[in-house]
Amino acid sequence: MFAYHWLVSSVCTKKILNITLISLNRPDKINAINLKTLDALQENIKRFEDDTESPLAILYGQEGNFCSGFDLHELDENPDTKLFDDFREFLQKPAKKPIIAAITGYAVGQGLDLALWCDLRFVEENVLMGFYNRRFAIPTCDVTIRRLGQMIGTSRTMDMISLGRHITAREALDWGLCNKMVNCGTAVGEAMTRAIQMSKLSQSMLADRATVLSECETCREEWMSERKHYIGISFEKSKTLIRQFIRGEYGHHGSFKNSHITDSLDFLKN
């Protein structure tokens, strides 16, 4: 078995046989995404896309967690960051070749966005998935909401985004949010087995994949101006909630308790 690897900032990549393995490598931050990590992730994905000898990739997180979402310390220090816009732009465009998510631990907030961006999802049995960004009044990316609705339907999508609660691996499997639930410690190995199987059928598979993706990338433009109105209101609350989280006062482990922010519905009068 031949393997090589390179390191770009907080994202590691290695190649085993003809399969590329890409991992988020910020375990001290539960593999949270900041601008540097997003840039490094896109650079490594571009290398994979340009590698004519690698038909598939596996995306995972180092040391027990897939991704905990955006790095809140960066958002607190730089509330005008380009992270939101750059991440949305990234999510809009599928990779040129299939990527399988091997999910461990937490896949929450923008970490769930990233998992849903992948073609397939293998989740370990103790995984928790949810839009924890709801704790901080940060809207879920519209690209993800449309993608999620096509995967699991309107009712279950509303369930997930309304409260920001997490769902278990079993629920994710039952809802069709993941493709397979596996034992703890085996997600990458299971994804590798599937990737090798798929690599033998890559040429015809890519044609069918393109058809599926063309059907999924629909957009309801009439909702976009309304969404922008709500987002402008929400971000003003986010700053206070993020600072509470950083000080350890609120929001850890997905909790909504002890928030000092109350939603105002005054904007509905406009």
Side-chain angles (χ1 to χ4, degrees):
M1 181 177 294
F2 174 73
Y4 67 83
H5 67 90
W6 59 87
L7 176 64
V8 181
S9 183
S10 52
V11 177
C12 298
T13 301
K14 62 183 178 181
K15 188 173 174 182
I16 301 177
L17 297 177
N18 62 344
I19 307 301
T20 300
L21 286 84
I22 304 170
S23 62
L24 301 176
N25 187 33
R26 303 186 74 208
D28 58 320
K29 298 287 187 179
I30 319 179
N31 295 320
I33 300 170
N34 57 13
L35 267 176
K36 289 183 178 179
T37 302
L38 180 58
D39 289 345
L41 178 62
Q42 292 183 91
E43 182 177 340
N44 279 271
I45 289 172
K46 179 66 164 56
R47 291 186 181 185
F48 156 65
E49 291 176 327
D50 293 342
D51 184 351
T52 58
E53 296 183 357
S54 182
L56 290 103
I58 296 168
L59 179 63
Y60 65 102
Q62 295 278 3
E63 298 189 25
N65 288 288
F66 184 73
C67 177
S68 61
F70 283 160
D71 187 333
L72 296 182
H73 288 83
E74 179 166 302
L75 294 185
D76 181 50
E77 295 167 2
N78 182 16
D80 298 321
T81 178
K82 298 192 307 174
L83 186 55
F84 291 97
D85 291 337
D86 288 359
F87 190 63
R88 182 182 185 275
E89 183 177 352
F90 165 77
L91 292 175
Q92 281 185 299
K93 186 178 180 181
K96 294 179 181 178
K97 295 181 287 188
I99 298 180
I100 301 173
I103 303 173
T104 57
Y106 285 107
V108 295
Q110 292 72 33
L112 181 51
D113 292 356
L114 186 58
L116 296 176
W117 175 82
C118 295
D119 291 76
L120 302 174
R121 283 152 296 282
F122 285 19
V123 303
E124 295 187 357
E125 57 192 358
N126 65 344
V127 159
L128 296 177
M129 308 172 78
F131 294 110
Y132 281 6
N133 48 292
R134 182 66 66 242
R135 293 171 296 169
F136 311 108
I138 297 175
T140 303
C141 181
D142 59 295
V143 178
T144 293
I145 292 175
R146 293 197 303 271
R147 185 171 283 140
L148 186 64
Q150 289 161 340
M151 287 181 181
I152 64 175
T154 301
S155 180
R156 283 172 170 164
T157 298
M158 286 292 189
D159 187 2
M160 288 194 70
I161 67 174
S162 61
L163 295 177
R165 73 175 183 89
H166 63 241
I167 63 172
T168 64
R170 171 54 63 183
E171 286 177 291
L173 181 64
D174 291 344
W175 287 12
L177 192 57
C178 70
N179 301 89
K180 187 175 183 180
M181 183 175 69
V182 301
N183 294 332
C184 292
T186 67
V188 174
E190 293 277 359
M192 186 71 181
T193 299
R194 176 66 65 88
I196 291 172
Q197 293 171 343
M198 292 171 63
S199 69
K200 300 174 183 177
L201 307 168
S202 59
Q203 188 169 356
S204 61
M205 177 189 61
L206 289 176
D208 291 342
R209 176 179 183 264
T211 301
V212 172
L213 292 178
S214 68
E215 292 297 317
C216 291
E217 298 307 311
T218 58
C219 178
R220 299 182 180 182
E221 294 296 337
E222 64 267 25
W223 285 99
M224 297 314 295
S225 60
E226 191 79 3
R227 176 181 170 81
K228 289 177 182 177
H229 173 64
Y230 294 143
I231 287 175
I233 296 166
S234 295
F235 280 144
E236 287 306 309
K237 297 191 304 175
S238 301
K239 299 173 185 177
T240 301
L241 293 170
I242 288 170
R243 290 196 182 101
Q244 290 179 19
F245 177 86
I246 290 172
R247 293 197 297 260
E249 300 171 357
Y250 164 71
H252 285 264
H253 308 294
S255 173
F256 283 75
K257 295 179 179 179
N258 301 323
S259 168
H260 301 302
I261 300 296
T262 301
D263 279 337
S264 170
L265 300 181
D266 292 341
F267 68 90
L268 292 176
K269 300 176 184 178
N270 297 332

